[in-house]
Amino acid sequence: MHYITPRFPAARPRRLRQTPLLRALVRETRLDKSQLVQPLFVRPGTGIRKPILSMPGVAQFSPDTLLEEARTLADLGVPAVLLFGIPDKKDAKASGAYARNGIVQQAVKRLKKEVPRLLVMTDVCLCEYMSHGHCGIVSNPGSEARILNDSSLKLLAKTAVSHAEAGADLVAPSDMMDGRVNAIRQALDTSGFDEIPIMSYAAKFASAFYGPFREAAESTPRFGDRRSYQMDGANGNEALREVAQDIAEGADIILVKPGVAYLDILWRVKSEFGLPTAAYSVSAEYSMVKSAAEKGWVDEKAVALEMLQSFRRAGADFIITYWAKDACAWLG
Ligand code: PBG
């Protein structure tokens, strides 16, 4: 921080008169509709809008209702969505994740055909498709369970390619296996998708803030937890090393997650690397404000916009948020 030494130390500090117009001229960061990405959950079926109890206002959609929602979002000015799939069947090799006609693949095809103005990002992970709910292949399920990092990479790469084949504009690996950005980059390149960018959840911390999401995505692990592959929330330097590694492997956009509790990480990542950087304001950040607002304890709109502003101030180029739809309406 550089402060100019006052030439007249005795001078009384001045309070400048700021009109709203002047305040707007000197505002350092802005929050714009074009910076918000709406996560969406899609499951097989028709006519479904199944509310997520722990996330008021968020629902699981079937492909047909997803299209209606996507049109509404696009009309409001939401530029992009991030898709999560909930398959009919789960198994031990996450077959639904990379099935040619899997739920995300179907949804992407329809979205790109019918609402082409929306940018479609897909979450690349195995947890929603695995019977045990972990993000990779597991040996010895149960208390002796271990994640098989390297064999999981093949499935993740297949998943990313299948999303690209369906028409996804960008793939976003969230699994946290080591080396997955490289595996996905190579697989995309050799399959003719060398122009599809990768947004890497490079700094993704093992967090209690994901609780409500696991209801939404039906991906709660059956045993153990995700601490062997997600990061320790105590470690900021390690986060920078993870980001450097993902950049070296070919990540185009870096994601920091969760949001509010990790603003320092966001700031450090943006300052250190200067790459396009995004914040993911995760499920509990949304649910906590929603529940407090329902009780009349906080003003939802004011709190939500203040949180979104804080991500911009901390260096995020854009924000993945369950408020994208509402915020676009609020921002007008
Ligand atoms: C994993 C994934 C998770 C989230 C996004 N991708 C959950 C987890 O790691 O347990 C959490 C998002 C949120 O809480 O909003 N596929």
Side-chain angles (χ1 to χ4, degrees):
M1 206 63 74
H2 308 282
Y3 290 109
I4 298 166
T5 316
R7 250 182 279 174
F8 306 104
R12 167 173 80 83
R14 281 193 305 147
R15 225 183 120 75
L16 300 177
R17 185 163 62 91
Q18 289 197 356
T19 61
L21 284 176
L22 181 57
R23 221 175 281 140
L25 280 178
V26 299
R27 186 160 293 138
E28 295 173 31
T29 48
R30 273 170 222 286
L31 180 63
D32 190 84
K33 292 195 272 192
S34 64
Q35 297 157 336
L36 303 174
V37 178
Q38 177 77 46
L40 288 176
F41 300 97
V42 61
R43 63 177 311 140
T46 47
I48 300 172
R49 266 179 194 265
K50 185 177 173 217
I52 311 303
L53 295 181
S54 55
M55 302 177 72
V58 177
Q60 294 177 345
F61 297 94
S62 46
D64 56 329
T65 54
L66 187 82
L67 285 180
E68 291 166 15
E69 182 71 3
R71 281 194 197 97
T72 310
L73 292 171
D75 288 345
L76 281 166
V78 178
V81 295
L82 174 61
L83 285 188
F84 293 91
I86 301 113
D88 260 341
K89 284 194 215 79
K90 303 179 190 257
D91 59 29
K93 43 187 181 52
S95 318
Y98 42 86
R100 188 171 273 274
N101 212 24
I103 183 61
V104 165
Q105 292 79 355
Q106 286 178 38
V108 172
K109 263 183 224 144
R110 293 185 65 174
L111 278 174
K112 287 316 298 178
K113 184 156 169 266
E114 308 203 22
V115 199
R117 3 175 215 157
L118 269 187
L119 186 89
V120 176
M121 309 177 165
T122 56
D123 184 83
V124 174
C125 195
L126 306 177
C127 62
E128 296 99 337
Y129 307 88
M130 286 287 195
S131 29
H132 46 63
H134 278 287
C135 303
I137 299 174
V138 170
S139 70
N140 304 324
S143 55
E144 297 292 303
R146 271 194 40 233
I147 293 283
L148 299 179
N149 188 92
D150 293 4
S151 15
S152 305
L153 297 181
K154 294 191 189 69
L155 303 189
L156 291 161
K158 259 167 94 167
T159 304
V161 170
S162 74
H163 291 178
E165 280 168 349
D169 295 301
L170 173 157
V171 292
S174 69
D175 53 282
M176 290 302 278
M177 298 300 127
D178 290 334
R180 93 276 201 196
V181 173
N182 178 46
I184 290 173
R185 186 70 272 160
Q186 291 203 359
L188 287 173
D189 290 356
T190 54
S191 314
F193 298 109
D194 50 313
E195 291 183 357
I196 298 291
I198 298 176
M199 173 167 72
S200 175
Y201 290 67
K204 175 172 172 181
F205 292 90
S207 169
F209 282 92
Y210 305 147
F213 172 93
R214 294 181 185 166
E215 181 201 332
E218 301 180 13
S219 67
T220 309
R222 294 281 165 85
F223 49 83
D225 55 45
R226 303 208 206 286
R227 278 181 294 186
S228 77
Y229 44 101
Q230 298 183 351
M231 289 181 41
D232 180 348
N235 299 351
N237 294 327
E238 185 189 12
L240 292 195
R241 293 197 298 273
E242 286 277 349
V243 171
Q245 179 65 36
D246 281 12
I247 295 173
E249 290 181 26
D252 302 287
I253 302 176
I254 296 300
L255 197 54
V256 175
K257 171 182 178 192
V260 276
Y262 295 85
L263 288 179
D264 57 320
I265 308 289
L266 186 58
W267 175 259
R268 289 178 70 183
V269 167
K270 186 63 182 179
S271 320
E272 179 82 19
F273 302 104
L275 229 69
T277 305
Y280 194 145
S281 178
V282 300
S283 51
E285 300 175 37
Y286 176 83
S287 302
M288 291 190 304
V289 175
K290 277 278 177 187
S291 58
E294 277 175 7
K295 291 187 157 143
W297 292 347
V298 297
D299 173 346
E300 179 188 358
K301 175 180 166 183
V303 170
L305 289 175
E306 192 172 330
M307 280 164 67
L308 296 176
Q309 173 178 268
S310 76
F311 299 126
R312 294 277 301 131
R313 197 186 59 241
D317 297 294
F318 63 95
I319 305 145
I320 301 169
T321 167
Y322 301 97
W323 275 297
K325 181 180 176 183
D326 288 342
C328 280
W330 294 330
L331 294 170

